[in-house]
Amino acid sequence: MGKKKPWPRRSFTPEFKAEIVELCRRGDRSVGQIAKDFDLTETAVRDWVKQAEVDAGERDGLTSSEREELAALRRENRRLREDVEVLKRATAFFVKETR
């Protein structure tokens, strides 16, 4: 049997996510039903609702802006570590060459 091909990762606009979260908050339908109606995974919808609660201050956790800042700082940190590593190698190379 062949391996199943993974589905391509979909992305959704913040407006669409906010609309889905609002539908969940109304309570007319269950999260599972909303996910099914919009061809979404229940886990994704629950995560969106949870993040909306964090952003609104109703739940503990990192807000969306804090998550973005953390990701940016991690990228910068990784780049700076790579720069330091290159400088260490260059220093070692030039020390060898001058002897």
Side-chain angles (χ1 to χ4, degrees):
M1 286 188 163
K3 288 186 177 179
K4 286 185 181 179
K5 242 184 173 179
W7 288 22
R9 188 172 192 95
R10 299 185 297 172
S11 61
F12 303 97
T13 64
E15 293 81 16
F16 178 76
K17 291 178 182 181
E19 182 181 331
I20 297 297
V21 168
E22 182 57 35
L23 287 172
C24 292
R25 286 188 174 179
R26 280 191 212 148
D28 300 342
R29 296 179 281 179
S30 68
V31 172
Q33 186 60 46
I34 292 170
K36 187 176 179 183
D37 291 347
F38 287 89
D39 191 30
L40 302 167
T41 64
E42 196 170 330
T43 304
V45 174
R46 288 188 192 284
D47 287 346
W48 296 348
V49 170
K50 179 179 169 186
Q51 189 61 50
E53 290 171 353
V54 170
D55 290 346
E58 300 167 4
R59 178 185 275 223
D60 288 337
L62 294 177
T63 64
S64 296
S65 61
E66 290 171 334
R67 284 181 184 277
E68 290 171 12
E69 181 182 10
L70 181 60
L73 290 171
R74 286 180 173 166
R75 278 192 303 273
E76 182 181 10
N77 194 9
R78 183 174 52 249
R79 187 185 58 76
L80 292 172
R81 287 178 191 272
E82 290 169 358
D83 290 351
V84 167
E85 189 60 35
V86 168
L87 291 172
K88 283 182 183 177
R89 288 181 187 160
T91 303
F93 174 78
F94 287 117
V95 166
K96 261 187 185 177
E97 290 294 313
T98 57
R99 287 186 184 179

